[in-house]
Every structure is written in structure tokens, then in C-alpha cells.
Amino acid sequence: MHGIHDLGGVQNFGPVPHRVNEYPDGPFQTAEYHEDWEPLAYGLLFACADADQFSVDQLRHSIERMEPRDYMTSSYFERILVGTATLMVENGMLTQEELEDLAGGPFPLSRPVSSAGRPANPNLQQFEVGDRVRVATEQVPGHIRVPGYCFGKEGVIDHRTAHEWRFPDAIGHGRDDGGSEPTYHVRFDATDVFGTDTEAESIVVDLFGGYLEPVPA
Amino acid sequence: MSVTIDHAVDNDLGEKAPRSARGEALRRALEAKGLLPEGYLDEWNNTAENVFSPRRGAELVAHAWTDPEFRELLLTDGTAAVGQYGYLGPQGEYIVALEDTPTLKHVIVCSLCSCTAWPILGLSPSWYKSFEYRSRVVREPRTVLAEMGTQIPDGVEIRVVDVTADTRFMVLPQRPAGTEGWSREQLAEIVTKDCLIGVAVPQVESV
């Protein structure tokens, strides 16, 4: 989904609000909260996920589905809250009216899904460390774990995972045809990604095999 | 023929109940549906604040700095190395450690959301989840790190690692000079959360 959440490489943001090692609780800070209610956010999310109401992939997608202005002006934990509430309303466990009654005011949710997702790639290929690959150019309207900056780019495989996971484009939509795939740490030359307009030398992205195609030697 | 631009509709968002009221509303709604077991939230918060910790990552780094065999295991099978300590857990089940060298500096980001190796780094800090870090560090890491207080010398390659699937990363920084003969406990004290994310390098206080 080509959404506002896909921020890698977007220009004109200001300084990162942090000086290294400066945390309220010192340089070994564990959690970091700024409002009293924030510790609730992950707790409620995992209570729902543990009760098999939805997967964490679906949660990521429901946050991506926030109206773009709402996404940009909501705090991080607020987005977790909205994403969780949206899925609970969509799966029929709660109603938005109930939530608004309890909140005493408007409780806007994410926008509806506009794609059914897609199954695992049926033409899955196995790659080896050192292989040169290209990220598919096909963009998809549903959930996908490819940052926009590397679509269609070529890179080299640094690592193939020893574990497999279900394809996010399927499980992110609650589908059961996500199969099981390793992921690959694909290293790109930063100049292939951003041209001369970058200070990085290389960028590594952790990509499912279903997003990759071979580059002939 | 004139062209007019209709400014009648602007881009303001509608009203919302306060964040805390919405959080509390969802909590009460889930409780009423029987989806919040007794003590669930307290237990989760205890884990987040007292169990998940960058002290664990620091312990792993200090061990790797002082034991070549463990270092080799951490770099070839991070999951097994972390498993030896019993530190695997949610958002930290498949671990890869990234080795900094005199010519290579790793920096971790999750440009799409906030993914972090929670059990060994602690929950993601606010700045790591900021739009500024997510957008900029993949393109201009040298400037971002300098602004945050870390100068990476020219000639050192910066490799940005974007956490986009299920691998959870930690940086194995270089052991600084002046730490010869230090105990693992002493070494672990200089490996901060920001060193494990890759935006800081371990510092030795000059006496």
C-alpha cells in the first residue's frame, strides 16, 4: 500500500528529537511513555492478538489504513489504539457507537480495507547468499512489507533466514493462504536507491522471497 | 475566462475525544467482552518495563567482546546465542547481530513502523518511532547521527538496516580502546540502548 506510513527517504523533516544516551531514566531506558494512558496501548493490542482476534500483521495494516492526515497528526501510541479499535469493530466484537459512548466523544477509526490482499507468491524461488536479486516492481494496494524506496531496485543477498513466516500480504488481511517463506537480507547500494542524494553507503532491507526475482548473471 | 480556487473546504480534521478517554474506552469495552484477563495489563507492563531491557543486549555485547567463541555464535546464529541467556521473546524471536568494524557502522531503523528487538533492547524509544528518524536516517544517516551527537568519520561506510520483516537486529559495536582487562560487568555499563540501535558508539570516560 502506497500510504503515508511509507516514510523512508521522504525529505524535509527536521531534527530527530533526541541526543544520544539522553533518556529520562538514563541510557538504559526500557519503555518510554509521555502520557499516563500510553502503557495501555500495547497491552490492549496483545490482549486482542492473544485472544486470536487478529494478527500483528493485520494491526500494522489497520494503522496504515488511517486517513493520511489522521496518521500524520496522531501520536505513536494513539495509532496503536486506533488500529486495534478498528480491527475489533471490523470483526464485529465491538461497535464504534459503544466506543464513542464510553469515550464521551468521537472515536474516529481507520478507513475500510480497499483490497482483499493476495496469497503467497506461487512461483517462489530459493536464493542463496551472494545472489543478485531485484525487488518486484509490482506495487499492491493492500498490506506489503516493501518500503517504497526499494521497489524495482537490485541488491545482493547477505542472509537467508533459518526460519519461515507467513506472507504478510496474505496474513495482513486475515487470509490463510500465506504459506511459509524465509526472508532475505538484501543489501542495496544507497546510490542505486537514492542516486547521488544520499549519505548512506548501503541499505539492508529484510524482504520476503515472494517480493524478489533473480537477476541473470 | 476566470479560474477560481475553492477554499471553502480546508484540510482540518474533525473532533476527537481525548486520547486518554479513547484508551480507557477501549479498555472498558474489551473488559466487558471478557477479552482482558485479570491482571493481564499489569503483567504486560511489568514485562515491558522490568523484563525487556537494553541491559540484556549490553550483557550479550560484553560477553562477545571477551569470548571469541560466543562472539562467533552471536554473529552466525544470534537466535542461539540469545537463547542461551533465555532472552528470546515477543518481537525478538529471530535475532541477527550486526558487526561494526573500523570501516563499517550499522544503524537500525524501522521506516514503516517501529519494529525493534524488544526483549534485548527494550521497547522502541519515542525518537526511534518519530517521522524524522523513520524518513531521514535511510537517506542521510551521517547528518542524522551528527545531529544526535555521533560523528562517523569519513571513510567509514554507514549501513542502514531497515527492519521490515521478522528478523530483529542488534548492533555489536566495536570495543573501544582503554577497556583492556575490564570485567564483563564494567564493559556492559558502556553499551547503552543507543549503542545497540547503532546511533551511538560506546564511550570510555577519560579520567
Side-chain angles (χ1 to χ4, degrees):
Chain A
M1 174 176 164
H2 181 191
I4 205 82
H5 67 285
D6 185 8
L7 285 165
V10 169
Q11 293 175 304
N12 205 33
F13 279 100
V16 176
H18 183 61
R19 291 285 295 179
V20 289
N21 298 329
E22 289 181 9
Y23 289 100
D25 294 338
F28 296 92
Q29 180 87 41
T30 54
E32 193 183 343
Y33 301 115
H34 296 284
E35 295 179 13
D36 290 345
W37 71 275
E38 288 178 346
L40 267 180
Y42 281 143
L44 297 176
L45 153 63
F46 285 105
C48 295
D50 288 353
D52 287 327
Q53 294 291 318
F54 53 75
S55 66
V56 174
D57 299 74
Q58 281 173 283
L59 187 271
R60 288 197 187 98
H61 187 45
S62 84
I63 292 173
E64 292 163 4
R65 290 191 279 119
M66 286 177 74
E67 199 278 340
R69 286 165 300 192
D70 200 13
Y71 184 98
M72 293 305 288
T73 54
S74 296
S75 74
Y76 175 80
F77 285 116
E78 186 177 10
R79 299 197 299 273
I80 300 282
L81 173 70
V82 170
T84 303
T86 298
L87 289 170
M88 296 307 279
V89 168
E90 287 175 348
N91 72 10
M93 181 58 76
L94 312 171
T95 66
Q96 189 168 11
E97 292 68 35
E98 267 178 275
L99 287 171
E100 296 194 328
D101 281 349
L102 287 167
F107 196 143
L109 301 174
S110 299
R111 291 178 41 74
V113 284
S114 57
S115 160
R118 59 175 183 169
N121 187 334
N123 302 312
L124 204 59
Q125 300 196 43
Q126 175 117 324
F127 300 103
E128 305 297 332
V129 170
D131 283 355
R132 199 159 173 83
V133 292
R134 183 185 298 110
V135 183
T137 51
E138 181 189 16
Q139 303 204 13
V140 303
H143 186 55
I144 183 168
R145 296 291 282 172
V146 179
Y149 62 75
C150 68
F151 275 109
K153 305 296 183 185
E154 288 182 22
V156 174
I157 292 184
D158 273 354
H159 179 90
R160 179 176 72 217
T161 60
H163 290 227
E164 298 191 342
W165 296 272
R166 287 184 282 174
F167 193 50
D169 306 24
I171 187 178
H173 290 260
R175 299 170 65 113
D176 61 5
D177 51 5
S180 177
E181 300 181 17
T183 68
Y184 298 88
H185 300 178
V186 181
R187 175 167 39 89
F188 302 93
D189 282 344
T191 49
D192 285 343
V193 173
F194 294 124
T196 56
D197 193 11
T198 178
E199 299 169 347
E201 277 76 20
S202 49
I203 303 170
V204 174
V205 185
D206 190 5
L207 295 166
F208 277 77
Y211 301 139
L212 302 175
E213 48 196 46
V215 174
Chain B
M1 181 180 146
S2 70
V3 176
T4 58
I5 298 171
D6 184 1
H7 287 291
V9 178
D10 62 23
N11 282 310
D12 282 350
L13 288 170
E15 267 183 49
K16 297 177 197 174
R19 291 193 273 257
S20 58
R22 281 180 283 149
E24 190 57 20
L26 183 62
R27 185 187 70 75
R28 287 169 59 195
L30 295 180
E31 211 161 46
K33 307 288 176 184
L35 286 167
L36 263 187
E38 183 78 28
Y40 186 94
L41 291 174
D42 287 343
E43 193 183 325
W44 207 94
N45 287 331
N46 181 54
T47 303
E49 300 215 46
N50 302 315
V51 180
F52 296 161
S53 170
R55 297 263 180 204
R56 290 170 150 190
E59 197 180 349
L60 296 162
V61 169
H63 190 174
W65 278 349
T66 53
D67 177 351
E69 211 172 301
F70 185 77
R71 178 191 189 88
E72 181 64 17
L73 181 66
L74 184 63
L75 292 172
T76 53
D77 188 349
T79 310
V82 174
Q84 284 188 356
Y85 277 82
Y87 292 165
L88 298 172
Q91 295 296 308
E93 291 163 322
Y94 186 86
I95 306 289
V96 166
L98 305 162
E99 183 185 26
D100 284 354
T101 73
T103 55
L104 178 62
K105 178 80 199 84
H106 291 91
V107 183
I108 302 168
V109 64
C110 172
S111 71
L112 295 170
C113 41
S114 64
C115 301
T116 312
W118 284 352
I120 54 172
L121 268 64
L123 296 194
S124 341
S126 299
W127 63 266
Y128 180 91
K129 299 178 288 196
S130 70
F131 297 153
E132 288 84 358
Y133 188 71
R134 287 169 52 191
S135 63
R136 291 181 61 204
V137 81
V138 292
R139 186 194 285 267
E140 44 172 346
R142 209 170 285 274
T143 299
V144 168
L145 265 59
E147 288 171 357
M148 293 169 76
T150 300
Q151 303 288 338
I152 304 299
D154 289 342
V156 175
E157 170 179 347
I158 301 185
R159 181 169 297 169
V160 181
V161 178
D162 199 347
V163 189
T164 52
D166 291 88
T167 308
R168 293 293 172 269
F169 298 90
M170 61 173 279
V171 172
L172 174 59
Q174 287 188 272
R175 179 172 174 171
T179 59
E180 296 75 16
W182 284 23
S183 69
R184 281 187 199 162
E185 290 70 24
Q186 285 174 296
L187 290 168
E189 283 298 318
I190 62 169
V191 184
T192 63
K193 185 177 186 113
D194 288 353
C195 294
L196 296 165
I197 296 171
V199 294
V201 293
Q203 299 294 325
V204 179
E205 300 276 332
S206 46
V207 183

